[in-house]
Amino acid sequence: MEDENALDLKTVLHRCRVEEGVRFDLADHPTRIAEIAGIDKAAGKHMLRHGVKRLSALQELLYANGTWSLLLVFQAMDAGGKDGMIKHVMSGVNPQGVTVTSFKQPGPVELAHDYLWRVHLAAPSSGRIGIFNRSHYEEVLVTRVHPELLVQQKIPAPLRDGAIWEERYRDIRHFEHYLSRQGTVVLKFFLNLSKEEQRKRFLRRIDQDEKHWKFSVSDAREREHWDAYRNAYREAIGNTAQPSAPWFVIPADRKWMARLLVMETIIAALEGLKLSIPDPAPDIVRDMAAVRRELEAQAPKAKHA
């Protein structure tokens, strides 16, 4: 994609979308796009600010209708920009209608349940947006690169054979399809970062005092498994992309461009629901009329000179 002439935004968004993974190859998706026709960094940031307002209005409609819900799944290599993505893209929405769940290493209670248990608990209820910062996909990513973690999950030894990954892909497909049939729009984003850009971001975390809190030695050490993680992502995306729960492989080396692409994808999905302010029930209309009369009768009387 980098070697082509500038593509328009709609074409780039289309190429990011993966909903049938039979021929999916992560190598076909760049980590950096040279440019999008008519959109430079300044224009992209302006569009992002405008998009925040559009998203806020759409979220209000989602909340008011109380039927559909939206689940946003963010996955990336370490330093891929998930936290910043959530912060900037969702900066204008009403916090009352959004829940962000960061899935850390499971604790004793979580390990005593199946791996989808805590994920289903965090799924968004009707009218709300749920955001997963990492997700159930860690169970076919980290555990695939480090299969010794399966022992901690109390899975019987006969069930920890080579078929476990195909079984988990099937479980995830069924789980996400089930959510979609209950009115949850599922959008999954892989922030596609290059190894060189990751190296630069780790160095910035070391060099800049205000970024020290983000630095993790273990994250840096995981670079040793870069190829294994890329292969795990290729397998996970290829085996779980479906029309009811598509993946979007977002070029993430440029943060502003990645945020714009994610923003436009979310807006398009919500606009596709064609929501409008719901009409009040007849009894509510009657009650409003009665309350109006009462409030108008309470108006202070005008004083005569």
Side-chain angles (χ1 to χ4, degrees), residues 260-275:
L260 176 63
L261 294 174
V262 169
M263 171 75 77
E264 292 297 325
T265 300
I266 297 171
I267 288 173
L270 288 175
E271 288 180 340
L273 299 178
K274 301 186 183 304
L275 299 176

Side-chain angles (χ1 to χ4, degrees), residues 214-278:
K214 289 186 174 184
F215 181 74
S216 167
V217 174
S218 62
D219 288 351
R221 293 289 180 263
E222 285 296 280
R223 279 172 63 82
E224 299 173 6
H225 305 286
W226 179 272
D227 291 340
Y229 274 110
R230 297 287 291 184
N231 182 64
Y233 268 110
R234 178 179 60 81
E235 291 291 329
I237 295 172
N239 280 282
T240 61
Q242 52 187 335
S244 59
W247 275 99
F248 297 86
V249 182
I250 304 294
D253 280 4
R254 291 181 175 181
K255 292 181 180 180
W256 70 266
M257 186 177 289
R259 292 165 184 167
L260 176 63
L261 294 174
V262 169
M263 171 75 77
E264 292 297 325
T265 300
I266 297 171
I267 288 173
L270 288 175
E271 288 180 340
L273 299 178
K274 301 186 183 304
L275 299 176
S276 58
I277 296 295

Side-chain angles (χ1 to χ4, degrees), residues 146-276:
H146 300 285
E148 64 275 11
L149 295 175
L150 290 173
V151 177
Q152 301 176 18
Q153 297 183 358
K154 302 180 181 180
I155 299 172
L159 301 181
R160 298 199 303 267
D161 60 15
I164 190 171
W165 308 118
E166 293 300 327
E167 292 166 353
R168 285 192 169 187
Y169 295 144
R170 183 166 61 249
D171 293 339
I172 290 171
R173 287 196 303 270
H174 289 170
F175 170 64
E176 293 173 350
H177 185 58
Y178 167 75
L179 290 180
S180 73
R181 289 188 291 108
Q182 307 308 307
T184 298
V185 177
V186 182
L187 304 179
K188 302 173 293 187
F189 298 94
F190 172 57
L191 307 183
N192 193 18
L193 188 72
S194 69
K195 192 174 185 179
E196 174 59 14
E197 180 63 22
Q198 186 195 58
R199 184 184 72 86
K200 292 178 180 178
R201 292 184 185 182
F202 280 156
L203 285 173
R204 283 196 290 272
R205 291 181 180 184
I206 294 172
D207 294 338
Q208 299 176 19
D209 291 348
E210 67 274 15
K211 294 185 180 292
H212 285 176
W213 67 274
K214 289 186 174 184
F215 181 74
S216 167
V217 174
S218 62
D219 288 351
R221 293 289 180 263
E222 285 296 280
R223 279 172 63 82
E224 299 173 6
H225 305 286
W226 179 272
D227 291 340
Y229 274 110
R230 297 287 291 184
N231 182 64
Y233 268 110
R234 178 179 60 81
E235 291 291 329
I237 295 172
N239 280 282
T240 61
Q242 52 187 335
S244 59
W247 275 99
F248 297 86
V249 182
I250 304 294
D253 280 4
R254 291 181 175 181
K255 292 181 180 180
W256 70 266
M257 186 177 289
R259 292 165 184 167
L260 176 63
L261 294 174
V262 169
M263 171 75 77
E264 292 297 325
T265 300
I266 297 171
I267 288 173
L270 288 175
E271 288 180 340
L273 299 178
K274 301 186 183 304
L275 299 176
S276 58

